[in-house]
Amino acid sequence: QQQVRQSPQSLTVWEGETAILNCSYEDSTFNYFPWYQQFPGEGPALLISIRSVSDKKEDGRFTIFFNKREKKLSLHITDSQPGDSATYFCAAKASSGSWQLIFGSGTQLTVMP
Amino acid sequence: NSKVIQTPRYLVKGQGQKAKMRCIPEKGHPVVFWYQQNKNNEFKFLINFQNQEVLQQIDMTEKRFSAECPSNSPCSLEIQSSEAGDSALYLCASSQGPNSDYTFGSGTRLLVI
């Protein structure tokens, strides 16, 4: 049972376009949602995160939009650059009772120059 | 440039051999996690510690896997008798606490042949 789902599995955009990566979850106790960026051969690096009390979080070219009612969130990468080509993971965690981050299966983003 | 240091980067073992990997958490982070990331990008939580004490662990960890986080020494994860299915990227992460971000290391890639 996949508690955190990501789509699409892979995404290709041109340099300068906005890439939109989607994530949905099932557990209504989840209230912390980090997005990680992972390059081949490296560990995941925290990109941006949001808590369920907010519906939007922005950091430079990266923005998370969060819809608590629909249990959906999305990561928007504006002005995409070839260096953004990586796999992006959405993760989720409940506020209490568990320390575990639950990861989605990732979206592989390719930005064409 | 991860602040969580994992060694070695690569580990090759024969089936039945022991495999040991180490992790130095980010300074000031008392909570340490171990995750396994397989070739399908699926993350599996293994175990986590707060200071030297185990907080949570999965059944798999209780059987062939052992882990510890001694004071003033690196944390370690050891597989007592490696199996081909253990081939994966083993990721260590650290955190200040349950409501703080998690920082991942670059991982140890284990290949069991």
Side-chain angles (χ1 to χ4, degrees):
Chain A
Q1 182 187 5
Q2 214 172 357
Q3 296 188 58
V4 177
R5 289 191 171 88
Q6 288 187 248
S7 64
Q9 188 173 12
S10 63
L11 177 65
T12 299
V13 299
W14 293 101
E15 183 175 357
E17 290 185 333
T18 296
I20 300 176
L21 290 65
N22 300 303
C23 180
S24 64
Y25 63 98
E26 297 178 2
D27 192 333
S28 57
T29 67
F30 288 160
N31 68 347
Y32 167 68
F33 303 91
W35 284 83
Y36 285 87
Q37 179 190 57
Q38 187 175 28
F39 295 105
E42 296 295 325
L46 179 66
L47 191 63
I48 186 172
S49 63
I50 194 168
R51 299 196 182 270
S52 59
V53 293
S54 301
D55 55 14
K56 181 181 177 181
K57 177 84 173 286
E58 194 170 349
D59 185 358
R61 296 186 295 110
F62 303 94
T63 302
I64 300 175
F65 293 93
F66 179 69
N67 186 322
K68 187 174 182 177
R69 184 180 60 83
E70 295 187 6
K71 297 181 184 174
K72 292 181 178 179
L73 57 160
S74 59
L75 174 68
H76 291 225
I77 306 174
T78 58
D79 190 25
S80 296
Q81 302 297 310
D84 296 331
S85 297
T87 301
Y88 292 79
F89 292 94
C90 172
K93 193 176 84 66
S95 61
S96 62
S98 175
W99 289 81
Q100 296 181 37
L101 271 179
I102 308 299
F103 284 85
S105 54
T107 292
Q108 187 171 356
L109 174 66
T110 301
V111 181
M112 302 294 288
Chain B
N1 295 330
S2 176
K3 297 175 182 177
V4 175
I5 308 300
Q6 289 191 248
T7 56
R9 288 297 302 271
Y10 302 95
L11 197 52
V12 181
K13 295 292 179 182
Q15 294 193 51
Q17 289 186 321
K18 286 185 181 180
K20 188 169 185 176
M21 52 205 84
R22 293 176 175 82
C23 169
I24 299 174
E26 184 172 343
K27 192 173 182 180
H29 285 193
V31 186
V32 174
F33 304 80
W34 286 99
Y35 279 84
Q36 179 195 66
Q37 185 182 18
N38 66 20
K39 62 181 180 181
N40 295 321
N41 277 338
E42 295 166 335
F43 287 78
K44 179 181 289 185
F45 168 83
L46 298 177
I47 191 170
N48 71 325
F49 294 84
Q50 183 163 8
N51 296 315
Q52 292 82 51
E53 295 194 12
V54 175
L55 293 176
Q56 287 181 314
Q57 63 181 343
I58 65 167
D59 287 346
M60 181 176 78
T61 312
E62 293 172 2
K63 294 173 181 174
R64 296 185 297 108
F65 290 62
S66 63
E68 61 177 2
C69 269
S71 60
N72 301 317
S73 293
C75 297
S76 64
L77 176 69
E78 185 172 53
I79 306 173
Q80 304 302 321
S81 178
S82 300
E83 299 176 355
D86 297 329
S87 296
L89 181 66
Y90 288 84
L91 293 163
C92 176
S94 70
S95 173
Q96 288 183 318
N99 296 318
S100 300
D101 293 331
Y102 296 12
T103 302
F104 281 83
S106 297
T108 292
R109 185 165 296 281
L110 172 65
L111 175 62
V112 181
I113 56 176

